[in-house]
Amino acid sequence: MWLSVIRGVMLSLVLISVAQAQVDSEQPIYIESDSLDIDDTRGVSTYRGNVQFKQGGNQLWADEVVIHSRDRRELDKMVATGKPARFHQAPAPGKAQETNGEAEQIEYQAMQGVVVLDGTARLSQGDNVFTGNRIEYETEQRLVRAGKATSTQKPGRVKVVIQPRKKPDAAGSN
C-alpha cells in the first residue's frame, strides 16, 4: 500500500516534465530520514530530519515531508518543509534544461496537478528563473502564477529572468 503512495510522491517530484516522469517512474525509490511515522488509519506518513528522496534523476531534500494518501492507496497531497525544502529534476531525454525549486514549503496537490512553492520561493529551468513569496505551477496547463502568499507576509515583488533563445548559427558564419 505505502509503496504505491511513495511512487506517487516520486512522480510528484517530476514537477514539470511528463516525459521525465515516465522514464524515472521505472527507477527504484530511495528514501532516507532520521525518523518515520506511519498512521495507516489516516493514510498519513511523516518523514522527519534530513529527508532525502531520490528516484532516477529526481531528488527532494527537506527537513520534513508529510504524505497524505486517498483510500490509503493513491497520493492525495505531499508537503515538504525546510530552510529551504529543495527539489531537482534532471532534464528529460533530448532536453538540455534541468529544473530546480526551493521554498520554505513545497506542496504538491495530486488531484489538481498543482505544485505550490511558498515562502521565499524560487523556480528555475535552465537559466530562466522565477522568484517571489509564492509560486504556483499547474502541471497540466503549464501555467505559472507568482506573487505574495498572504497579507501577513512582507511585501515582495515577483522577479523573472528569461534568457533569449539561441539562434542557430548560419552555415559558414563564425
Side-chain angles (χ1 to χ4, degrees):
M1 187 260 326
W2 280 104
L3 182 59
S4 63
V5 172
I6 291 170
R7 284 193 191 285
V9 168
M10 293 313 297
L11 288 176
S12 73
L13 298 179
V14 184
L15 302 173
I16 306 214
S17 170
V18 173
Q20 182 69 25
Q22 293 169 345
V23 170
D24 281 352
S25 67
E26 301 300 319
Q27 299 292 319
I29 299 166
Y30 300 95
I31 305 168
E32 291 185 29
S33 66
D34 293 340
S35 68
L36 166 63
D37 294 321
I38 295 176
D39 184 338
D40 205 23
T41 305
R42 292 180 35 227
V44 176
S45 62
T46 304
Y47 296 82
R48 289 188 185 93
N50 194 23
V51 182
Q52 300 173 25
F53 280 73
K54 182 176 182 180
Q55 184 178 28
N58 302 312
Q59 298 179 33
L60 170 75
W61 303 270
D63 296 332
E64 179 178 88
V65 175
V66 180
I67 301 168
H68 302 264
S69 65
R70 253 189 326 276
D71 301 325
R72 297 178 8 221
R73 291 189 194 149
E74 287 185 76
L75 175 68
D76 181 35
K77 176 173 71 171
M78 179 198 71
V79 180
T81 55
K83 298 279 186 213
R86 300 176 293 122
F87 71 86
H88 168 79
Q89 175 192 350
K95 306 268 181 175
Q97 296 182 332
E98 62 184 31
T99 301
N100 292 288
E102 65 180 51
E104 293 170 20
Q105 177 175 292
I106 300 171
E107 180 175 325
Y108 176 67
Q109 302 162 6
M111 290 290 288
Q112 297 83 6
V114 174
V115 177
V116 179
L117 291 89
D118 210 350
T120 316
R122 176 183 169 88
L123 179 67
S124 65
Q125 188 171 45
D127 292 332
N128 300 319
V129 180
F130 292 88
T131 58
N133 289 331
R134 180 180 176 96
I135 299 171
E136 294 181 17
Y137 180 71
E138 294 182 21
T139 58
E140 294 292 319
Q141 294 80 17
R142 295 184 176 200
L143 175 64
V144 175
R145 291 187 181 97
K148 66 181 191 174
T150 65
S151 60
T152 60
Q153 285 188 328
K154 296 178 186 175
R157 298 188 43 86
V158 174
K159 296 178 184 175
V160 179
V161 177
I162 301 174
Q163 298 297 325
R165 290 191 175 151
K166 295 184 177 169
K167 296 180 184 177
D169 288 338
S173 66
N174 292 6

